[in-house]
Amino acid sequence: MKGQKNFFYIRVFTGGLAPCKENIQHYLEETPCNCTIAADSGLDLCRKYRFTPDLILGDFDSLSSRNLLSQYDSQIIKNFPQDKDYTDTELALHYAHKMVAEKKLIPHITLIGGDGGRFDHLLSIYNTFSGRERPDVWFLKEQAVYFLQKGHTVKISGLKENDYLSVARCAYSNRGGWLTGQGLKWGCSIFNKKGMPSLSNRISEKVATSGQVTLTAHRKDFLVITSLSAQIHSTFSVVDMKDLK
């Protein structure tokens, strides 16, 4: 994915399981980064990736050592109490969107980590995709989740014959909307009308060489779940008026 004008690119590192850096190197090299945020033990991951955070926040109950904070300017550190009704990841996403809004630009937020561990924390990240303060891309230990906004098309390449691709609905909707596209073994016309539209789909034999799939979301937002080897080339609007309703 190449940088686009009027976009502000933020990487958010959080705790939990995360991919090895080399497994998403292609994405890191192709996607610009204007700001890096570390949420709690996401600072450990940020350091492991050898990136320098521009903002560090959280209650720091899971950070490997609070002494790490002394290595950074106190002005970029925001401390929060442990007793709060939102996660450090949600805090980081809030500050990311707030930062972009102040600049009057369009956010593109990549979340790295947050896999495994407590199910309620995992569920809270999933729920963010139903609101405005969401990531656009979420890298888990072995999978990537891409937000596909209604009225937009996504091109995915780099899928191998045995790589799985699934499509999920956002938490706000169990039914409604539909997808069109090409390149999948089980086409969009037979996708489930409620719940997850497609689980463990694969590329069709016709695109085995290119490994490219296109998907367009209509009326509702969806999540595209792929292997880490997949590459998102572009998202662009193909919206007609009915998709905006």
Side-chain angles (χ1 to χ4, degrees):
M1 175 181 177
K2 301 297 183 183
Q4 299 182 50
K5 201 173 182 180
N6 299 324
F7 277 74
F8 194 80
Y9 294 84
I10 299 180
R11 291 175 188 158
V12 175
F13 290 90
T14 191
L17 301 180
C20 296
K21 183 180 179 181
E22 55 267 26
N23 289 342
I24 60 170
Q25 189 65 41
H26 63 276
Y27 179 89
L28 298 174
E29 290 175 351
E30 292 191 358
T31 307
C33 181
N34 301 116
C35 178
T36 299
I37 299 176
D40 204 310
S41 59
L43 179 58
D44 292 316
L45 179 62
C46 185
R47 291 166 61 90
K48 186 176 180 180
Y49 270 54
R50 298 187 181 278
F51 291 134
T52 301
D54 300 290
L55 175 63
I56 304 168
L57 54 77
D59 53 33
F60 305 117
D61 62 340
S62 58
L63 186 63
S64 61
S65 172
R66 290 185 69 97
N67 292 332
L68 291 176
L69 298 176
S70 64
Q71 300 180 28
Y72 301 93
D73 189 328
S74 61
Q75 293 185 348
I76 71 165
I77 300 172
K78 292 185 179 292
N79 284 276
F80 290 86
Q82 290 187 20
D83 295 332
K84 57 187 185 301
D85 205 22
Y86 38 82
T87 66
D88 293 323
T89 304
E90 290 174 297
L91 270 175
L93 292 172
H94 169 73
Y95 273 87
H97 279 271
K98 181 181 178 181
M99 184 185 306
V100 179
E102 290 172 350
K103 296 178 180 297
K104 297 182 179 180
L105 295 172
I106 302 169
H108 186 280
I109 298 174
T110 301
L111 176 63
I112 304 174
D115 198 1
R118 289 174 52 176
F119 178 70
D120 51 351
H121 283 197
L122 193 69
L123 192 60
S124 74
I125 296 177
Y126 167 65
N127 282 331
T128 65
F129 286 100
S130 294
R132 297 184 65 181
E133 296 184 347
R134 54 165 176 78
D136 295 277
V137 183
W138 178 20
F139 286 116
L140 297 90
K141 183 180 180 182
E142 296 179 354
Q143 291 180 302
V145 179
Y146 297 92
F147 179 77
L148 177 53
Q149 187 175 358
K150 64 179 180 180
H152 286 70
T153 292
V154 65
K155 289 183 179 180
I156 309 165
S157 67
L159 292 169
K160 301 180 180 63
E161 187 176 356
N162 293 321
D163 284 342
Y164 292 114
L165 184 149
S166 297
V167 182
R169 296 178 185 277
C170 295
Y172 71 83
S173 176
N174 186 52
R175 66 180 65 203
W178 71 94
L179 294 113
T180 55
Q182 56 186 345
L184 291 172
K185 190 167 186 178
W186 295 282
C188 299
S189 61
I190 62 171
F191 278 6
N192 294 321
K193 305 304 179 186
K194 61 180 181 178
M196 287 193 68
S198 186
L199 181 66
S200 299
N201 211 325
R202 297 191 293 278
I203 59 173
S204 70
E205 291 79 1
K206 295 179 181 180
V207 297
T209 302
S210 65
Q212 182 167 295
V213 171
T214 61
L215 287 170
T216 301
H218 303 274
R219 294 285 182 95
K220 297 284 185 180
D221 304 322
F222 294 88
L223 302 179
V224 179
I225 306 163
T226 71
S227 64
L228 295 175
S229 61
Q231 298 177 41
I232 298 294
H233 285 286
S234 61
T235 57
F236 54 91
S237 176
V238 293
V239 67
D240 59 35
M241 292 308 294
K242 67 181 181 180
D243 285 324
L244 296 175
K245 296 178 181 179

